[in-house]
C-alpha cells in the first residue's frame, strides 16, 4: 500500500498544523483500490503510529468523515459525499457541462461521463456520471481517479493543449496495452490527438475496455482544457458513424453552454 509522506516517515517537512496534516493523511489513505481498512492497516497506509491513527479515526467517525463497520473496519463517511457533491457542483466545469450532460443522457440513452483534469499530477477524476439503464459495469464509477492514458477522454483533453505541450506530456505517459487495439505508440497517439484537434472530438472503439466505444469532447475554461464530456456504451450500439454524430452534437451543446455563461472578470 502507498503511504502518504508524514513528518515521522522521513518525507519532506510540511508547514501547517500537524493534527490537520495527520487527519488528512488518514483520509488520503483511502482510494478505489483500498476503500476499507482495519486500524493497523490504516495506520500503515497513513504512515502514522497506531495510537495516533485511532484517536484521529474516532474524531473523524464522530464528525461523519469516516464510518466504522461491524467488523471494526473503517470506510469513508457520508459527510465526504455531501462535501464532494458541493465541490463537483460549483466548479466552472460543472456549470459548463451540467446542461449538456442532462441533454445527452435524454437524447442518446447512453452513459455520459464528465472528467476533470488535475494538471499538477496529470490525473483524471470522474466528477459526473449519468448512467443509462443498460450501462456496462466496467465503465468508470463516479469519483474514480486515474492517470492520463490512451482513451478518448485523455485524447480529447490533450487535444486542447498547444501541440508542443501535448508532445511533452505524451512522451512521459505510460501507455498500457489494455486491449489488443490499444494505442501504445506515442507517435500514433500524437496523430490521433491531431485528428481530434482537427474535428473537435476523440473517438475510441474497444481501445480502453473491450466491447466499449466512446466519444469525448474537451471542455475549455479560460483557453485551457479543464476536462472532457464523453458518451460511452457498448460497441455494438455505437458504430463509428454514430460516434462522429455524437461528437458533433456534444460540441454543439458545450458551445451553447459556453456562450450562455456570463463573462468572467478580466
Amino acid at each position: 500500500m502507498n503511504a502518504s509522506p508524514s513528518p515521522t516517515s522521513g518525507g519532506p517537512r510540511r508547514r501547517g498544523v500537524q493534527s490537520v496534516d495527520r487527519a488528512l493523511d488518514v483520509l488520503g489513505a483511502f482510494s478505489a483500490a483500498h476503500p476499507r481498512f482495519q486500524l493497523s492497516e490504516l495506520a500503515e497506509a497513513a504512515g502514522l503510529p497506531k495510537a495516533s491513527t485511532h484517536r484521529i479515526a474516532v474524531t473523524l467517525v464522530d464528525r461523519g468523515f469516516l464510518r466504522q463497520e461491524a467488523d471494526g473496519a473503517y470506510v469513508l463517511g457520508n459527510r465526504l459525499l455531501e462535501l464532494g457533491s458541493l465541490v463537483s457542483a460549483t466548479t466552472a466545469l460543472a456549470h459548463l457541462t451540467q446542461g449538456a450532460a442532462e441533454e445527452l443522457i435524454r437524447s442518446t440513452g447512453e452513459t455520459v461521463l464528465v472528467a476533470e483534469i488535475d494538471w499538477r499530477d496529470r490525473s483524471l477524476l470522474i466528477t459526473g456520471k449519468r448512467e443509462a439503464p443498460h450501462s456496462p459495469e466496467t465503465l468508470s464509477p463516479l469519483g474514480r481517479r486515474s492517470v492520463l492514458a490512451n482513451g478518448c477522454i485523455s485524447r480529447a483533453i490533450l487535444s486542447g493543449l498547444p501541440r508542443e505541450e501535448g508532445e511533452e506530456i505524451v512522451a512521459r505517459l505510460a501507455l498500457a496495452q489494455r486491449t489488443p487495439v490499444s494505442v501504445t505508440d506515442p507517435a500514433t497517439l500524437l496523430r490521433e490527438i491531431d485528428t481530434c484537434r482537427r474535428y473537435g472530438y476523440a473517438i475510441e472503439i474497444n481501445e480502453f475496455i473491450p466491447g466499449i466505444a466512446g466519444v469525448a469532447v474537451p471542455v475549455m475554461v479560460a483557453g485551457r482544457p479543464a476536462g472532457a464530456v464523453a458518451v460511452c456504451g457498448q460497441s455494438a450500439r455505437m458504430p463509428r458513424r454514430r460516434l462522429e454524430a455524437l461528437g458533433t452534437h456534444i460540441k454543439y451543446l458545450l458551445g451553447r453552454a459556453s456562450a450562455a455563461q456570463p463573462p468572467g472578470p478580466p
Side-chain angles (χ1 to χ4, degrees):
M1 285 180 256
N2 293 328
S4 301
S6 69
T8 59
S9 63
R13 185 176 182 84
R14 294 176 296 194
R15 300 174 60 188
V17 181
Q18 186 184 60
S19 59
V20 176
D21 275 341
R22 291 188 168 191
L24 293 176
D25 285 338
V26 169
L27 291 174
F30 291 87
S31 67
H34 302 288
R36 69 195 308 272
F37 291 103
Q38 294 293 337
L39 178 60
S40 58
E41 297 170 333
L42 182 56
E44 180 184 353
L48 298 171
K50 186 174 179 180
S52 299
T53 303
H54 181 257
R55 289 194 298 272
I56 293 168
V58 168
T59 301
L60 292 173
V61 168
D62 287 343
R63 301 297 295 269
F65 291 94
L66 289 183
R67 189 174 75 250
Q68 192 168 22
E69 299 192 321
D71 64 352
Y74 292 96
V75 296
L76 294 175
N78 289 335
R79 179 62 174 151
L80 288 171
L81 184 64
E82 179 185 352
L83 294 176
S85 66
L86 290 175
V87 172
S88 62
T90 55
T91 64
L93 182 69
H95 286 301
L96 285 170
T97 60
Q98 183 175 7
E102 296 294 344
E103 171 62 25
L104 286 167
I105 188 66
R106 286 195 301 268
S107 62
T108 69
E110 304 293 349
T111 296
V112 180
L113 298 176
V114 178
E116 185 171 1
I117 180 70
D118 187 337
W119 290 112
R120 294 173 301 176
D121 57 4
R122 302 188 183 94
S123 64
L124 290 172
L125 179 68
I126 303 298
T127 58
K129 185 175 184 180
R130 308 293 193 279
E131 289 192 79
H134 46 263
S135 177
E137 294 182 359
T138 50
L139 288 178
S140 297
L142 189 66
R144 168 67 60 83
R145 186 177 291 277
S146 60
V147 296
L148 277 173
N150 43 11
C152 64
I153 291 177
S154 293
R155 289 210 296 269
I157 291 173
L158 288 168
S159 74
L161 296 175
R163 197 176 196 283
E164 289 186 1
E165 185 177 355
E167 289 175 349
E168 293 176 3
I169 292 175
V170 167
R172 294 194 290 271
L173 294 182
L175 302 176
Q177 185 79 54
R178 299 176 184 274
T179 76
V181 294
S182 294
V183 175
T184 57
D185 174 53
T188 302
L189 179 58
L190 286 172
R191 287 195 295 272
E192 294 284 350
I193 293 170
D194 281 340
T195 300
C196 176
R197 195 175 281 121
R198 185 161 59 251
Y199 291 102
Y201 54 79
I203 287 175
E204 66 167 90
I205 302 175
N206 303 323
E207 292 180 41
F208 203 75
I209 303 173
I212 300 297
V215 56
V217 174
V219 180
M220 307 297 289
V221 175
R224 190 166 179 83
V229 174
V231 176
C232 305
Q234 294 177 357
S235 304
R237 292 195 312 274
M238 302 186 75
R240 178 168 289 274
R241 180 169 295 183
R242 187 186 183 202
L243 292 169
E244 291 170 349
L246 285 172
T248 300
H249 187 48
I250 298 170
K251 283 172 53 183
Y252 164 74
L253 292 175
L254 291 177
R256 186 177 67 182
S258 180
Q261 288 291 311

